[in-house]
């Protein structure tokens, strides 16, 4: 019997192989063409833990807590946390639903907690790009432990962080500051969105209205269903985005797909290409090619020709939503990525006909932060009044290149003529801007 099953299995494999080799065999879909070329590089569904950060894909939040089991329950819904008593200060993150943070506070009161007072509080999360208004409420739990509940709203969703401690209130406040300062929050993550991590946790994107099926994504539109597949490709395989694009387009061309349109969006600050492709199968594809830090990103969005406008719109949204989150380990222990920088400080002085300058970088705690990341663009202008007198620009790969104590000469601004009097230097590095005034002789 076993031999019969084995023979049958071999026959099936042989027939499948022969069918694949027949001339004029079945038509490959564009997704299969990319899957064949990039076979093992599809971005798999990320685990909930990325290093010491719990990544909540359905909420677009990253926080240094332990993920909770995903079980259906009413609000407030536990997302991540720690067992009470497992540390001097323990914390839990909840999604509170339409009732907001008041829902969690009411639940704690029903269990014997006593509210001590509420104050306005401001969260400065990473990536979001703006302050997040919140409320911080002090409580004494029925057990006698001190507690804090910080609640906030983002898009159309409500969240709350509960902390408790049997020790000093100072420890409670310190843990609150630490957790919320390091928390990652992506903009635009409405209810019904998912935010997969990309390129080993270096990036993430917000997919509004999409659902995950393993490593693939899908969503319904008025004229059918759209599918999405994301790949990462090693930087060692291609010289640049153009070489990657040419390789994949040659394979698509052999399979009967022709490019009919294209655009050049920016993806997380990097130049990219977004092409449209038609075949004879009644489907349209939009394929995104981008060179990011750590890998090339390839994103395929496809659907029926009747949904062409939706395909274009959602492919463009994908390109626009990719942001840096820096959950991958830094290339070296001392070097965070530039995304950690919250403030730059410029120093400048004159030596003869040269203006020398440098910059230091601070994180969200106003503490010095070094960084390493290729392709960070910078520019500096020397102005008097409203007129630009001199300017320079370039790219850097680390904060060391701006250290005024190391070597300021390569950045020097040479004065082509004397410019006595007050002047201002306007410095922009990676989107961060600052200025400093200097008196020229």
């Amino acid at each position: 019997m076993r031999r019969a099953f084995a023979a049958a299995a071999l026959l099936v494999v042989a027939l499948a192989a022969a069918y694949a080799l027949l001339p004029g065999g079945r038509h490959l879909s564009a997704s299969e063409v990319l899957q064949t070329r990039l076979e093992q590089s599809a971005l798999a569904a990320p685990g909930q833990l990325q290093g010491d950060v719990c990544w909540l894909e359905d909420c677009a939040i990253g926080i240094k807590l332990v993920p909770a089991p995903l079980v259906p329950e009413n609000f407030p819904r536990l997302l991540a946390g720690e067992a009470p008593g497992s540390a001097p200060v323990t914390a839990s993150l909840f999604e509170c639903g339409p009732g907001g943070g008041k829902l969690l506070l009411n639940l704690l009161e029903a269990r014997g907690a006593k509210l001590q007072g509420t104050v306005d509080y401001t969260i400065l999360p990473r990536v979001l790009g703006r302050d997040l208004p919140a409320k911080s409420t002090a409580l004494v739990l029925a057990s006698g432990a001190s507690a804090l509940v910080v609640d906030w709203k983002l898009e159309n969703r409500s969240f709350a962080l509960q902390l408790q401690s049997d020790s000093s209130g100072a420890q409670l406040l310190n843990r609150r500051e630490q957790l919320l300062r390091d928390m990652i929050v992506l903009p635009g993550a409405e209810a019904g969105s998912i935010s997969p991590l990309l390129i080993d946790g270096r990036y993430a994107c917000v997919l509004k209205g999409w659902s995950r099926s393993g490593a693939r994504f899908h969503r319904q539109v008025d004229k059918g269903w759209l599918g999405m597949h994301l790949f990462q490709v090693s930087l060692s395989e291609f010289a640049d985005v153009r070489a990657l694009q040419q390789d994949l387009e040659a394979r698509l061309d052999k399979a009967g797909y022709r490019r009919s349109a294209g655009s050049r969006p920016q993806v997380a600050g990097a130049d990219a290409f977004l092409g449209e492709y038609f075949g004879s199968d009644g489907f349209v594809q939009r394929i995104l090619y981008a060179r990011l830090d750590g890998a090339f990103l390839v994103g395929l969005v496809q659907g029926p020709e009747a949904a062409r406008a939706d395909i274009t719109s959602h492919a463009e949204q994908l390109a626009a939503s990719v942001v840096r989150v820096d959950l991958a380990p830094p290339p070296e222990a001392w070097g965070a990525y530039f995304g950690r920088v919250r403030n730059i400080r410029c120093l400048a002085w004159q030596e003869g006909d040269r203006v020398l300058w440098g910059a230091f970088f601070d994180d969200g705690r106003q503490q010095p932060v070094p960084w390493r990341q290729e392709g960070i663009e910078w520019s500096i202008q020397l102005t008097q009044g409203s007129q630009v007198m001199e300017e320079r620009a370039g790219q850097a790969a680390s904060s060391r290149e701006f250290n005024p104590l190391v070597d300021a000469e390569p950045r020097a601004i040479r004065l082509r003529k004397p410019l006595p009097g007050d002047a201002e230097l306007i410095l922009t590095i990676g989107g961060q801007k600052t200025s400093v005034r200097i008196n020229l002789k």
Side-chain angles (χ1 to χ4, degrees):
M1 182 65 72
R2 290 182 181 175
R3 290 181 180 177
F5 280 125
L10 286 172
L11 178 60
V12 170
V13 172
L15 287 173
Y19 179 73
L21 293 172
L22 285 174
R26 71 182 182 86
H27 180 79
L28 287 176
S29 71
S31 180
E32 289 172 315
V33 173
L34 265 66
Q35 182 69 53
T36 300
R37 174 62 184 91
L38 308 174
E39 41 190 37
Q40 297 302 320
S41 58
L43 293 174
Q48 285 186 295
L49 274 175
Q50 184 79 14
D52 59 351
V53 174
C54 170
W55 181 252
L56 300 164
E57 183 176 270
D58 292 344
C59 303
I61 291 176
I63 192 166
K64 291 183 178 180
L65 293 174
V66 179
L70 296 176
V71 293
E73 59 181 16
N74 295 326
F75 295 113
R77 179 177 295 124
L78 179 64
L79 301 174
E82 301 156 327
S86 60
V89 179
T90 57
S92 300
L93 179 67
F94 297 86
E95 184 171 7
C96 298
K102 185 66 176 174
L103 192 66
L104 178 60
L105 292 172
N106 289 343
L107 179 62
L108 292 173
E109 280 192 290
R111 294 175 178 174
K114 303 296 182 183
L115 273 61
Q116 303 294 298
T118 299
V119 297
D120 291 334
Y121 183 76
T122 301
I123 304 173
L124 302 170
R126 292 170 48 198
V127 181
L128 183 63
R130 60 180 176 85
D131 295 349
L132 195 55
K135 299 284 187 181
S136 182
T137 301
L139 310 92
V140 176
L141 302 180
S143 64
S146 299
L148 288 173
V149 170
V150 182
D151 65 280
W152 67 91
K153 292 184 178 181
L154 184 64
E155 303 296 344
N156 54 350
R157 308 175 77 171
S158 298
F159 300 92
L161 180 71
Q162 178 190 343
L163 305 101
Q164 65 182 72
S165 174
D166 292 321
S167 56
S168 70
Q171 285 186 310
L172 202 61
L173 295 174
N174 289 341
R175 185 81 196 281
R176 178 190 67 179
E177 301 300 317
Q178 180 188 43
L179 276 174
L180 295 177
R181 179 190 66 226
D182 293 337
M183 183 173 66
I184 297 169
V185 176
L186 302 193
E190 304 169 355
S193 301
I194 55 174
S195 299
L197 293 175
L198 310 172
I199 317 297
D200 303 319
R202 288 180 172 88
Y203 299 86
C205 62
V206 176
L207 306 179
K208 297 183 181 181
W210 290 79
S211 299
R212 178 190 279 279
S213 299
R216 300 173 185 268
F217 306 89
H218 62 273
R219 67 159 296 155
Q220 190 171 18
V221 294
D222 290 340
K223 298 180 179 179
W225 284 86
L226 306 185
M228 181 186 298
H229 204 169
L230 302 174
F231 304 89
Q232 68 179 49
V233 184
S234 171
L235 294 176
S236 64
E237 291 196 36
F238 300 95
D240 51 30
V241 169
R242 181 62 179 166
L244 169 63
Q245 178 190 340
Q246 289 176 339
D247 180 271
L248 295 182
E249 286 186 348
R251 296 170 188 275
L252 288 167
D253 186 72
K254 289 180 180 179
Y257 293 91
R258 303 291 183 267
R259 190 176 80 205
S260 55
S263 60
R264 297 195 176 276
Q266 289 270 307
V267 176
D271 293 332
F273 182 76
L274 181 58
E276 181 183 75
Y277 304 85
F278 281 89
S280 58
D281 57 357
F283 283 80
V284 179
Q285 286 71 220
R286 280 277 179 170
I287 301 178
L288 176 68
Y289 313 84
R291 186 190 191 281
L292 301 180
D293 183 47
F296 292 104
L297 174 67
V298 178
L300 167 71
V301 181
Q302 61 184 355
E305 290 186 25
R308 182 183 180 188
D310 291 309
I311 296 166
T312 299
S313 172
H314 286 289
E316 291 173 348
Q317 288 176 19
L318 166 65
S321 75
V322 177
V323 293
R324 185 133 196 169
V325 294
D326 290 337
L327 293 186
E332 293 192 18
W334 72 270
Y337 291 115
F338 186 82
R340 300 282 179 90
V341 174
R342 290 296 184 85
N343 182 55
I344 57 177
R345 294 171 287 139
C346 184
L347 290 80
W349 64 98
Q350 183 178 5
E351 290 186 2
D353 63 349
R354 302 173 303 162
V355 173
L356 304 180
W357 61 275
F360 293 114
F361 304 85
D362 298 332
D363 62 13
R365 301 165 296 174
Q366 303 302 310
Q367 298 295 315
V369 55
W371 54 266
R372 284 193 178 183
Q373 182 178 332
E374 293 183 2
I376 298 298
E377 297 185 352
W378 61 269
S379 64
I380 189 165
Q381 295 179 332
L382 188 151
T383 66
Q384 284 187 322
S386 59
Q387 186 175 0
V388 177
M389 309 304 295
E390 303 287 350
E391 59 184 332
R392 289 198 63 182
Q395 286 192 345
S398 78
S399 54
R400 183 178 176 83
E401 296 183 33
F402 297 98
N403 193 325
L405 305 177
V406 177
D407 187 5
E409 176 60 31
R411 301 182 303 270
I413 298 175
R414 295 196 174 275
L415 304 177
R416 291 170 291 179
K417 62 179 182 179
L419 298 172
D422 287 339
E424 184 177 27
L425 290 172
I426 302 173
L427 173 63
T428 302
I429 302 176
Q432 295 275 358
K433 182 178 287 188
T434 190
S435 63
V436 62
R437 302 197 70 84
I438 183 174
N439 187 270
L440 299 177
K441 300 177 181 178

